[in-house]
Amino acid sequence: EEEEGRKLVQAAALQDHPEALYWLAMDYRQRGEEKEMKEKLEAAAELGSAEANFCLGDMHVHGSDGYEVHLPRAFRFLLSAALARHPHALCSVGAMYYQGLGVSRDLKKSFKAYQIAAEEGDIDAMRNLASMHYNGEGCEQSEAAARYMLKVAKEAEEQLAAQR
């Protein structure tokens, strides 16, 4: 069954299906076939796979899987995934704007990226929003809003734990 599934995914990848290409890239990654992984992952990202763009961004942030650390390139990949509302990419974009990594520091853009990530369910973004509200970074200072975001984050975390 597994081999049959792999053949179906390979057939879809030959038709330039971005998620099939992403799946193949991760399969090659698991097998330690870096060249093939990169080829498929980059093709998937170019075809608009948010997950592939997120992975490439993360790999360029951390210098993993044969990619060197390159923060401006990482930001471009993460932003592409964020535009597709990928929650972890949105949170990463928020962090890069917050810290000025690979992009000019911009607290308002950081706050907005965290806000959208939080709407998409990213718990780290919820916590980061709480901190920004508390300190008045990129928004008006509001201890009440900070407490509310921490409450929302805790509830989301409990809900996630209950699903496991």
Side-chain angles (χ1 to χ4, degrees):
E1 268 184 44
E2 186 176 320
E3 191 55 40
E4 182 63 27
R6 183 174 280 114
K7 286 179 184 177
L8 291 172
V9 170
Q10 288 171 334
L14 288 173
Q15 299 296 315
D16 287 335
H17 188 287
E19 299 313 319
L21 286 162
Y22 169 75
W23 188 91
L24 282 178
M26 294 301 99
D27 188 50
Y28 284 128
R29 181 184 192 205
Q30 190 172 25
R31 293 198 231 168
E33 298 178 39
E34 186 178 287
K35 182 180 178 233
E36 292 81 359
M37 181 274 297
K38 285 180 163 185
E39 179 186 303
K40 300 299 183 201
L41 191 59
E42 290 168 13
E46 196 171 303
L47 290 168
S49 167
E51 198 63 44
N53 276 294
F54 172 72
C55 281
L56 282 167
D58 191 65
M59 289 171 179
H60 281 89
V61 165
H62 297 102
S64 68
D65 295 89
Y67 291 99
E68 292 186 17
V69 172
H70 192 293
L71 297 177
R73 189 173 298 139
F75 182 80
R76 287 192 301 274
F77 282 119
L78 291 167
L79 184 60
S80 180
L83 291 172
R85 297 185 74 93
H86 186 289
H88 302 311
L90 282 157
C91 190
S92 295
V93 164
M96 292 182 85
Y97 273 129
Y98 187 86
Q99 296 173 17
L101 297 173
V103 65
S104 296
R105 188 167 197 243
D106 189 323
L107 295 178
K108 288 188 186 305
K109 288 181 180 179
S110 174
F111 183 85
K112 184 67 177 170
Y114 284 145
Q115 196 171 38
I116 297 168
E119 289 169 7
E120 295 295 325
D122 190 284
I123 295 169
D124 290 330
M126 294 173 195
R127 288 192 189 104
N128 292 340
L129 275 177
S131 175
M132 292 183 84
H133 276 295
Y134 186 81
N135 294 308
E137 296 174 311
C139 62
E140 287 188 36
Q141 194 279 332
S142 172
E143 190 174 327
R147 288 181 193 273
Y148 174 76
M149 285 311 306
L150 287 175
K151 179 182 177 236
V152 170
K154 183 179 179 188
E155 290 170 356
E157 198 167 47
E158 289 170 352
Q159 187 176 37
L160 190 62
Q163 292 173 356
R164 290 185 184 149

